[in-house]
Amino acid sequence: MKIAMVCPFFLPVVGGMEKHVYNLSLELQKKGHKVTVFTSAIDHSGREIEIKDEIINGIHVRRYKPWFRIGKFASAFPGFVLDLLGFDIIHAHNMRHPHVELSLWASKLRGIPLALTPHSPYHEGTRGNALEFAVKAYDLLQSFYPLRFIDRIFALHEAERKWLLSKGVMDEKITVAPNGIEDRFFSGTANRGGKKEIIFIGRINKSKGLGILLGAFSKIKGRSWKLRLVGPDGGDMLELKALAKKLGISNKVAFEGEVTDKKLLDLLDDSEIFVLPSEYEPFGIALVEAMARGKACIAINAGGPREIITNGKNGILANYDENSLSAALDRLIASARLRKTLGLNAKKAAKKYRWREIAATIEAEYKKMVQK
């Protein structure tokens, strides 16, 4: 099959949705399919990506200059519609983006089946009042309307499936297909640990709950423990460094920045505890990656992590406040036995998130769509 992936951003932009599209495309290629990614020619900051047409590990990537932007994470790049010729499947990613409606228009005009992965767009309370109102108005007037005409919708987890049902999507149109993680996270896992280190992996941005994490870390009883924040500057690194200094923990907090894949695994393996403090995560890929490495994990009891972690069995769920997160950290710091038990259970639970199994589920649905 010739498959068109349509998404707001793609490599070199790095994020959960971008990883999803990239790894799904790689797995589909291994199965003999040809994948083209249609995306915008900008990154999250609005900076233009100069290369408009390239091949990345066999994936054809075509980038289009946006006509306009909607906040940091959405833009309109309608030029791709003209190039959606000769494809067997169109698979759009994200909701509340103009490219979804444009993909639907192209799908119906050209008789090409359309799939959508919304990537858990249903969270509330993490936006300002004006933006929250705008989102609700857009949903009421426009966003939910296309859902009834899309041929197949892939929910990342059961909570998203239930949300889609509440919006009038027929159950038979929904397939649960979670985010996956790369095989390298399952190979050569030594679960070394041994260093009294807590690690976070992701964009260094306040939206990831890092202010809450720093506050919680400043309150832990294990004064010899250190915290590593690994990931690119998402715009708030200087402010968070200043906060660490204000809290008197600068000497115990390391801002590692963006690191190589090998260094990331080394840092993860050396750590004892992984923490994902985001108030809301649509899924939590970094969480599953840490689980695959046998880490004792803490996440906030919301969104994707609530679907992934069974509290007290394969990780710990905390509330989004400093005291709750600090208590969860203290609980793990105090018990090497608990860390080991949670880590072993986490590693087992992570196996269902291998990309080859997820791609097989999606491929099977593609075939049904094409045969109709």
Side-chain angles (χ1 to χ4, degrees), residues 171-312:
D171 194 24
E172 58 267 29
K173 281 192 172 187
I174 306 171
T175 298
V176 175
N179 276 322
I181 59 173
E182 301 158 24
D183 285 343
R184 65 189 176 92
F185 286 96
F186 293 98
S187 61
T189 307
N191 194 27
R192 294 193 297 265
K195 294 184 179 180
K196 293 182 176 181
E197 292 182 354
I198 301 160
I199 190 169
F200 161 85
I201 299 171
R203 286 183 295 112
I204 308 304
N205 187 278
K206 288 186 293 185
S207 68
K208 291 293 184 180
L210 296 182
I212 294 288
L213 176 57
L214 290 174
F217 180 71
S218 72
K219 298 177 179 181
I220 63 172
K221 297 173 183 176
R223 294 299 178 185
S224 60
W225 284 67
K226 293 186 177 181
L227 172 64
R228 292 189 183 276
L229 305 181
V230 182
D233 184 1
D236 295 325
M237 187 176 290
L238 289 177
E239 185 175 342
L240 289 166
K241 284 183 176 180
L243 177 59
K245 184 176 181 180
K246 181 180 178 181
L247 292 169
I249 54 175
S250 291
N251 61 328
K252 296 179 181 179
V253 180
F255 288 82
E256 300 287 347
E258 195 166 6
V259 300
T260 64
D261 289 346
K262 183 181 183 307
K263 179 72 179 294
L264 185 144
L265 287 180
D266 287 341
L267 291 171
L268 193 52
D269 286 345
D270 285 340
S271 67
E272 288 281 338
I273 300 168
F274 172 87
V275 60
L276 183 62
S278 309
E279 182 178 7
Y280 179 84
E281 281 284 339
F283 186 77
I285 293 176
L287 172 62
V288 181
E289 291 172 347
M291 291 171 69
R293 301 305 280 187
K295 298 292 110 177
C297 297
I298 299 171
I300 301 303
N301 188 16
R306 183 162 53 194
E307 298 290 317
I308 295 166
I309 288 181
T310 301
N311 192 29

